[in-house]
Amino acid sequence: MKRYIYILACTFGMMSCIQDDYLVDGGVSSQEIGTDTYTFLQSHPQLDTLALLIERAGLIDDVNGENTLFAPNNLSIKRYVDEVLSEMREVDPEAEYTVNDIPVDTLEKYMGGYIFPGKITRDDMTLEGDILTAINGEQRRISLEPRDEEPYEDKLSSFPEYVFYTYKKGEDWDEWDRIVDDRLVRVRSSNLLSTNGVIHALQGNHILFDYEGN
């Protein structure tokens, strides 16, 4: 019996790792995904909730245009829902809040911050980053930066380059190499090429809309 439980635990552990590492930045073996962006989101188990929010926000045509999507995954969306629910329960311990309760006007206002005109690939990015304007008028710094960290520390002469999607905090942007307040969000997988645009999937520790609470 103990052996059976151990095997089950190992199996679920392996499944968890597979789900967590479904996309890893630094380049993918096959960049072409063979579908339009929205269809890809719908079919992917880590991005299908994003597809629902994009539909509710009325942004399917924008996502399927010649644009670039920095895609928050399902975990990022769950983090947002959990944050909002936690605040609500400070007032009403019985409060309920799900992804379906996110107001449409909130989605219309903020979801466009993940969509940028044109096809932006790693080849277009710089170390210092470029300040780009999303379709909702918000700005982000998009950069491609090497990181000296485990497991590569002291083992490589050059280090993996990661795409970063950065929020400005305060009136001015921080210097790219002296980040004080700005919030960097690492891209987990970059350069996924749909039949219409480009997708860069953000890490799950990002909270949808960079939500910080009330």
Side-chain angles (χ1 to χ4, degrees):
M1 184 66 177
K2 290 182 178 179
R3 181 183 179 188
Y4 177 69
I5 293 173
Y6 174 77
I7 292 172
L8 278 178
C10 290
T11 301
F12 283 116
M14 291 174 63
M15 289 175 63
S16 176
C17 291
I18 291 170
Q19 290 175 351
D20 184 58
D21 292 332
Y22 77 103
L23 296 171
V24 178
D25 198 27
V28 293
S29 58
S30 178
Q31 296 177 317
E32 303 282 348
I33 61 177
T35 67
D36 62 68
T37 296
Y38 185 71
T39 300
F40 174 73
L41 300 180
Q42 283 184 307
S43 64
H44 202 291
Q46 295 288 341
L47 297 170
D48 52 0
T49 304
L50 175 61
L52 294 175
L53 296 188
I54 286 171
E55 180 182 7
R56 291 183 62 207
L59 294 174
I60 293 177
D61 288 344
D62 294 284
V63 164
N64 276 349
E66 290 191 4
N67 295 322
T68 299
L69 172 67
F70 287 83
N73 66 19
N74 292 355
L75 182 56
S76 293
I77 298 169
K78 182 181 184 301
R79 289 179 184 275
Y80 171 83
V81 170
D82 288 346
E83 287 286 331
V84 174
L85 180 58
S86 178
E87 292 174 4
M88 292 174 62
R89 286 188 172 173
E90 290 178 3
V91 178
D92 177 9
E94 302 298 322
E96 296 294 335
Y97 191 84
T98 72
V99 67
N100 295 321
D101 297 316
I102 302 175
V104 171
D105 59 351
T106 296
L107 297 174
E108 291 174 342
K109 182 176 181 179
Y110 294 114
M111 285 303 299
Y114 295 103
I115 306 170
F116 294 79
K119 297 181 180 181
I120 307 166
T121 68
R122 293 169 65 96
D123 291 339
D124 302 312
M125 300 175 190
T126 64
L127 179 66
E128 298 83 359
D130 294 304
I131 309 301
L132 304 180
T133 302
I135 64 170
N136 69 345
E138 295 179 345
Q139 291 187 325
R140 303 285 184 266
R141 174 188 273 131
I142 308 301
S143 58
L144 181 65
E145 306 178 34
R147 281 294 186 267
D148 178 5
E149 57 188 19
E150 295 183 357
Y152 309 107
E153 191 174 15
D154 300 326
K155 296 179 181 178
L156 299 176
S157 57
S158 60
F159 302 100
E161 294 182 319
Y162 295 90
V163 177
F164 287 92
Y165 167 93
T166 301
Y167 287 84
K168 181 177 73 173
K169 299 297 178 182
E171 294 185 2
D172 300 308
W173 289 95
D174 292 339
E175 295 294 327
W176 72 273
D177 56 349
R178 295 181 182 178
I179 298 296
V180 178
D181 300 310
D182 294 349
R183 196 188 320 279
L184 285 78
V185 181
R186 182 179 291 185
V187 167
R188 188 148 179 87
S189 181
S190 60
N191 271 27
L192 300 174
L193 306 179
S194 68
T195 54
N196 61 274
V198 182
I199 305 165
H200 305 285
L202 303 177
Q203 282 196 326
N205 60 2
H206 168 60
I207 299 178
L208 186 70
F209 309 142
D210 195 39
Y211 186 73
E212 297 180 291
N214 297 323

